Amino acid sequence: MSKTGRVAVLRDYGGEFELREYPVPDPEPGAILVRLTRAGVCGSDLHIWRGEMKDVYGSPPQDLTFGHEMCGRIERLGAGVTADALGQPLREGDRIAWLYVFPCGRCRVCLRDEMANCPRKLRANRTAGTPPYFNNAYGDYYYLRPNHFVFRIPDEVTDDVAAPANCALSQVLYGLTKAGLRQGDTLVVQGAGGLGLNAIAVARDMGADRIIAIDGVAGRLALAREFGADDTLDVSQLSTPERRIDAVRSLTGGFGADVVVDVVGYPDVIPEGLRMLRSGGIYLEIGNIAPGNFFSYDATALVRGGARLIAMANYSPWALGEALALLRRSRGRFPFEKIMSHVFPLERISDAFRQAEWKGAGAGRISRAAISMS
Ligand SMILES: [Zn+2]
Ligand SMILES: [Zn+2]
């Protein structure tokens, strides 16, 4: 009798997950079957669970499976797979991380070294029961289609720290690199949640001189300082945009920041952040991912300020390799293990989502949840 594995399926937005069993496939040549060990509950997973992304995930959800932050051990290598994307040898039992989207590598945009922006990138199949069945993070297995970008996890990096690296850390590492952050720069980080804390670590590692973090939750600001933020601005004390903009100006000798990154997720912070830029500064927009997030700004102020605004929702494969290298070399320097505050076994995934929910009664109880399969 063939082996089966569990997949968490969501039938109603905001509701319970159901665990279903599906047959575990054999990997075809070039593919890899992974036994998942950890998965993260990301802010975007909460958007999906609440039903805020129905435009993409359907209404009502049809046997929806999702989850994109994960890592695991190689259960079986398909024929011909001998090395990861960096040429390091791969063996069954090795721990690996991988990209959750699949750039085509065969289009005009990919060929211009912009796989992050590939317009033909494939995403995981989100309907449960579709072979090869294991396409997402909340389940026992993951079927990696042939020729995917896979990276061995350094021995020094734990599963809890590695699982979200393919999302937040890779995203801000790619973003700050594309924004051209340089040694000696001043960076403002709007929002000290998962993305924001990762951005602080990356900027410190890249040689930023001064990092200013803004948030309204005291615990997050404390963590921001542990990650290396030089200054923290508490929104609950500096209650207007004007006061926060003035604070950034005075911390930067009146010039404003070289780079401002938005990882809040509400568009209201964008005009404020644009006004925190120095002349010719760069605004990096990552936070807004749910539809309908509009902002308005004076185009003349953009022109006169020589501002550059770049936005991104994905990253190129190299960023995940660099993210894992950063985790290895900076072990002990940044408290990455503190981002993941609670771990739930897969059979309690519904609890994990309810408790990670920050919009309702559970707000503030939990900073970030992980799901454990091992
Ligand atoms: Zn994520
Ligand atoms: Zn492409």
Side-chain angles (χ1 to χ4, degrees):
M1 200 186 128
S2 73
K3 201 165 49 163
T4 63
R6 299 167 299 171
V7 171
V9 180
L10 187 68
R11 294 200 306 182
D12 300 297
Y13 289 122
E16 301 281 313
F17 289 84
E18 177 186 309
L19 293 181
R20 292 193 198 156
E21 300 269 345
Y22 293 106
V24 179
D26 274 335
E28 68 204 283
I32 301 175
L33 179 69
V34 187
R35 183 84 167 88
L36 292 175
T37 52
R38 282 284 191 282
V41 177
C42 179
S44 57
D45 296 318
L46 287 171
H47 280 301
I48 296 165
W49 179 70
R50 287 183 204 124
E52 290 173 355
M53 293 177 60
K54 294 190 174 90
D55 61 322
V56 180
Y57 293 85
S59 179
Q62 300 294 322
D63 290 341
L64 181 62
T65 73
F66 60 103
H68 60 280
E69 298 184 359
M70 67 229 133
C71 64
R73 288 185 182 278
I74 297 173
E75 177 95 352
R76 285 200 59 198
L77 286 171
V81 186
T82 57
D84 75 358
L86 288 168
Q88 307 176 95
L90 283 184
R91 280 176 284 270
E92 289 172 359
D94 281 351
R95 297 185 308 136
I96 55 171
W98 56 94
L99 275 71
Y100 61 84
V101 293
F102 309 89
C104 81
R106 291 280 185 282
C107 77
R108 182 179 156 76
V109 179
C110 283
L111 282 182
R112 295 198 171 201
D113 290 345
E114 290 185 47
M115 284 200 201
N117 297 325
C118 173
R120 295 180 183 168
K121 67 170 80 83
L122 298 174
R123 291 177 183 276
N125 189 318
R126 293 162 181 142
T127 306
T130 313
Y133 305 111
F134 300 94
N135 306 300
N136 292 283
Y138 307 137
D140 286 319
Y141 294 92
Y142 195 100
Y143 187 90
L144 274 167
R145 58 191 83 195
N147 305 317
H148 192 43
F149 294 95
V150 171
F151 297 86
R152 237 175 67 192
I153 298 171
D155 293 341
E156 299 88 339
V157 180
T158 64
D159 286 353
D160 282 328
V161 169
N166 75 342
C167 182
L169 182 57
S170 298
Q171 190 62 62
V172 295
L173 190 152
Y174 182 76
L176 291 171
T177 303
K178 285 288 169 183
L181 185 83
R182 301 196 319 196
Q183 190 180 42
D185 273 357
T186 295
L187 171 73
V188 169
V189 180
Q190 296 180 286
L195 282 162
L197 296 170
N198 279 287
I200 293 166
V202 169
R204 199 88 278 170
D205 187 69
M206 289 171 80
D209 181 62
R210 185 155 209 165
I211 302 170
I212 303 166
I214 307 176
D215 205 288
V217 179
R220 288 175 162 206
L221 292 174
L223 211 42
R225 283 188 293 274
E226 282 189 57
F227 268 82
D230 300 287
D231 307 284
T232 49
L233 303 182
D234 187 340
V235 175
S236 64
Q237 282 161 26
L238 297 170
S239 54
T240 64
E242 296 303 329
R243 292 181 65 190
R244 298 188 286 271
I245 292 161
D246 285 349
V248 169
R249 294 256 159 221
S250 75
L251 287 168
T252 54
F255 285 100
D258 298 295
V259 179
V260 176
V261 56
D262 164 31
V263 281
V264 173
Y266 289 110
D268 296 355
V269 307
I270 297 173
E272 175 179 334
L274 284 167
R275 291 175 59 203
M276 292 171 174
L277 285 177
R278 72 161 165 84
S279 180
I282 294 178
Y283 194 79
L284 172 60
E285 172 54 34
I286 292 177
N288 286 283
I289 55 162
N293 286 340
F294 298 96
F295 72 97
S296 90
Y297 196 71
D298 180 359
T300 303
L302 282 182
V303 172
R304 288 189 180 163
R308 285 170 284 172
L309 196 162
I310 58 175
M312 52 194 59
N314 284 131
Y315 56 87
S316 289
W318 62 261
L320 178 54
E322 291 300 324
L324 293 168
L326 186 156
L327 291 173
R328 173 184 46 72
R329 76 173 165 267
S330 65
R331 204 166 66 104
R333 190 172 167 215
F334 307 112
F336 282 108
E337 68 285 351
K338 290 191 181 174
I339 295 180
M340 207 67 101
S341 63
H342 294 66
V343 180
F344 297 81
L346 182 61
E347 37 306 353
R348 290 188 56 214
I349 183 172
S350 300
D351 289 340
F353 271 74
R354 270 195 302 271
Q355 293 190 35
E357 173 60 295
W358 46 272
K359 273 196 167 171
R365 281 214 308 259
I366 192 168
S367 69
R368 217 145 198 284
I371 310 295
S372 166
M373 295 76 167
S374 60

